[in-house]
Amino acid sequence: MIPQKLDEGNETYGLLAYLYGPGRRDEHTNPHMVAAWDPYIGDPARSPDMTISDLALLLDAPVFAMRGKKPKLHVYHLAIRNDEKDRILSDEEWAEVAREMMHASGIAEHGDDEACRWVAVRHADDHIHLVATKVREDGRQPNLRGDIFKMQAAARVFEERLGLRRLRNGDKTASRWRKPGEMEKAERRGLSEAPRATLQRTVRDAAAAATSDLDFFGRLAASGVRVKQRIAPDGNLTGYSVAMPGDRNPEQTPIWFSGAKLAPDLSLPRVRERWTNPVAAPSVAPAEMWRIAEEKVREAAGRLGAEGLHQGAGDVAALGDLIVVAAIVSPRVVRSQIKDAAFEFERASRAPGDRALEGQARRLYRESNQLLGQSAAAAGRNDTVAALGFLLALVQAVEAARRWHDAQQHRAQAEASGKAGRLLREAVEVTAGAAAAREYRPRPKRATTRRSSGPRTAAPPGERPMTGVVQEAVPEHARAVLADPAWPSLRARLVEVERAGDDPVDVLVTVARRRELSSAESIAEVLTWRLDGWRKERGTTTPAAGSSPSSTAGGGSSSVAPVRKAAPAPRRRPPGDEQAKGPRRAR
């Protein structure tokens, strides 16, 4: 159960009309009142003697009767939402929740006859809206200090009592919620995400790789976003704001977001922490980049949090930046998984409380970060084999972060670390499969058939019984694989391998031998990931259809003119993938 404060305002009637109306896209169903400050107040949806205008006037009456200066924004608006997997609460249960939340917030404490007026409106199964006016019956204003934290504590009690999903109170490390209006605006413009989300990712990428103020703002400008710096009268830079080109409000002025409104660790002081204690990355040959970074990350994983609570908070912050940079320079076949891992680990990189900026693990992560950033252009970003060891070290580091958060009882951060770790493990297996495909040399096709009690007819491509393929390729794991819930996905991958012209037995043997399988929680899932990497790599290295092999099977010279290979069809470049190469220009 999540209590969320929404924008305050001064139009009680307008808000009530929206809550009782059909919604922006007819998403409101059966709007009605479940509770109010006075149990005898009529519901505009069910009482012919009460209209929305009447209800708004009753709520605003203490405001109009107030002597002296009235509050500028007197409408208090709150939404209480359950998880989509929670059971549906009855109106009576939601009414109890509403009364307790109004008590906890300070709007209307139990037994206070002079409290503020409020109503609870329900127009969906999973949430209610609370609307109150911030003037008491005695003309005073309520004490709302710490209201959201008190309501979160009340929500924890209801979660246990009503059997709902158990959450934890906020620790001020979560990113700002996307407002419904932002997402609806993005949908109207045909965008995949709200501008705030795009800006947050862009600023985080720039901050993770930057080494100074000048470098940070230069990267932001190069990314294409609009940047506005805030300069104090004494000439010092005190803050910044960013905006998406073309994102404007009804007055046609740019919609600016300060760094702090994007995420708690993107304010200018928090961004500057990244280069408060500068580190110098060693100069290494591009071919050694991944190996040196792997060594540093493994050493840092062993030291994470070992120097104390504040050092651990600084360590995980630096680890989050490293994953962001790793996603930028990673091999193309796993870039999407690592970007997703960086997104999931974002919350884990923000530990509550103070941070120390001189920890040993933090220094090693920062050195690895700069090493990857400096060497990326010359190293060859698609060096899948060289990156495998680094990704394994990154998995080890994220697991160390998860254990540290668990020890500190940082539940949200530990959960985020676990999600990021799973995505990185998937990236490791995809990388292993791609590396196996790069080194694969198919065996000559066998003319003899396998043992059979009678004559056997070859099955058409895609119809081969894949159960037998698994039993032949990985006999020691066949029983576990065939009983695994991920077996249908693995079977589908094997069918695709056979349809592509490869022997699924040989391919499965090759990827299974690439790394050990005994420690995997789901061997079928691991093999599926490796075959995903196999298919991605083979899709870029297999010869075009219609090309003929050399006419000399023994490897000698031939007097027959070689057959010209058909030009491969150009592949569309994935959105945002600046590293994917197009077809070579014919000479």
Side-chain angles (χ1 to χ4, degrees), residues 252-300:
Q252 295 304 306
T253 58
I255 300 177
W256 295 95
F257 294 91
S258 66
K261 286 187 177 180
L262 297 176
D265 58 339
L266 293 182
S267 63
L268 184 61
R270 290 293 303 274
V271 167
R272 281 173 165 168
E273 285 182 356
R274 291 162 166 86
W275 50 82
T276 297
N277 296 329
V279 297
S283 299
V284 299
E288 293 292 302
M289 177 193 73
W290 293 112
R291 185 185 63 80
I292 299 298
E294 174 189 351
E295 293 176 355
K296 291 182 177 293
V297 171
R298 289 190 185 277
E299 182 182 355

Side-chain angles (χ1 to χ4, degrees), residues 150-170:
K150 295 174 183 177
M151 287 188 287
Q152 287 174 346
R156 303 296 83 81
V157 176
F158 278 112
E159 288 164 1
E160 183 176 1
R161 183 193 306 174
L162 301 177
L164 307 176
R165 181 187 176 192
R166 302 289 298 278
L167 302 177
R168 286 180 64 90
N169 292 342

Side-chain angles (χ1 to χ4, degrees), residues 215-483:
D215 187 17
F216 173 61
F217 288 109
R219 290 175 184 270
L220 284 181
S223 69
V225 304
R226 305 185 65 176
V227 185
K228 179 172 63 176
Q229 299 182 11
R230 185 168 64 250
I231 307 297
D234 59 2
N236 290 325
L237 175 64
T238 60
Y240 73 97
S241 298
V242 290
M244 287 291 293
D247 186 27
R248 297 177 178 273
N249 58 21
E251 290 73 31
Q252 295 304 306
T253 58
I255 300 177
W256 295 95
F257 294 91
S258 66
K261 286 187 177 180
L262 297 176
D265 58 339
L266 293 182
S267 63
L268 184 61
R270 290 293 303 274
V271 167
R272 281 173 165 168
E273 285 182 356
R274 291 162 166 86
W275 50 82
T276 297
N277 296 329
V279 297
S283 299
V284 299
E288 293 292 302
M289 177 193 73
W290 293 112
R291 185 185 63 80
I292 299 298
E294 174 189 351
E295 293 176 355
K296 291 182 177 293
V297 171
R298 289 190 185 277
E299 182 182 355
R303 297 186 178 187
L304 193 150
E307 299 171 84
L309 176 62
H310 297 332
Q311 283 78 5
D315 296 344
V316 294
L319 176 57
D321 286 344
L322 175 60
I323 301 175
V324 170
V325 173
I328 297 173
V329 304
S330 60
R332 180 169 51 85
V333 294
V334 292
R335 195 172 305 145
S336 62
Q337 285 92 346
I338 302 179
K339 284 184 177 180
D340 290 343
F343 174 80
E344 293 293 349
F345 194 79
E346 176 191 326
R347 181 70 183 275
S349 67
R350 296 191 291 265
D354 296 331
R355 296 157 304 284
L357 307 179
E358 64 277 355
Q360 290 296 316
R362 179 183 176 87
R363 179 181 59 79
L364 290 167
Y365 286 140
R366 292 296 297 168
E367 289 178 359
S368 303
N369 191 339
Q370 293 189 25
L371 184 64
L372 295 183
Q374 293 173 6
S375 306
R381 301 183 183 184
N382 288 327
D383 191 355
T384 310
V385 178
L388 180 57
F390 171 77
L391 292 178
L392 285 167
L394 212 55
V395 171
Q396 180 181 346
V398 170
E399 177 60 22
R402 187 194 64 78
R403 292 195 301 267
W404 182 80
H405 282 303
D406 265 339
Q408 311 305 322
Q409 298 183 354
H410 299 159
R411 182 175 171 181
Q413 286 81 355
E415 182 178 352
S417 299
K419 293 178 180 179
R422 174 181 170 78
L423 288 164
L424 287 173
R425 284 191 293 272
E426 178 182 349
V428 165
E429 302 302 344
V430 171
T431 303
R438 177 174 293 188
E439 300 172 2
Y440 175 67
R441 297 295 179 269
R443 294 186 298 175
K445 292 191 175 181
R446 293 165 288 186
T448 59
T449 60
R450 297 180 178 86
R451 292 182 188 177
S452 176
S453 57
R456 183 172 180 177
T457 304
E463 297 182 8
R464 187 175 183 178
M466 294 303 161
T467 302
V469 170
V470 173
Q471 292 170 340
E472 183 175 353
V474 285
E476 67 278 18
H477 302 298
R479 183 185 298 272
V481 169
L482 297 177

Side-chain angles (χ1 to χ4, degrees), residues 432-441 510-511 533-535 537-538 541:
R438 177 174 293 188
E439 300 172 2
Y440 175 67
R441 297 295 179 269
T510 302
V511 298
W534 173 281
R535 291 187 304 120
E537 183 64 29
R538 296 284 284 179
T541 58

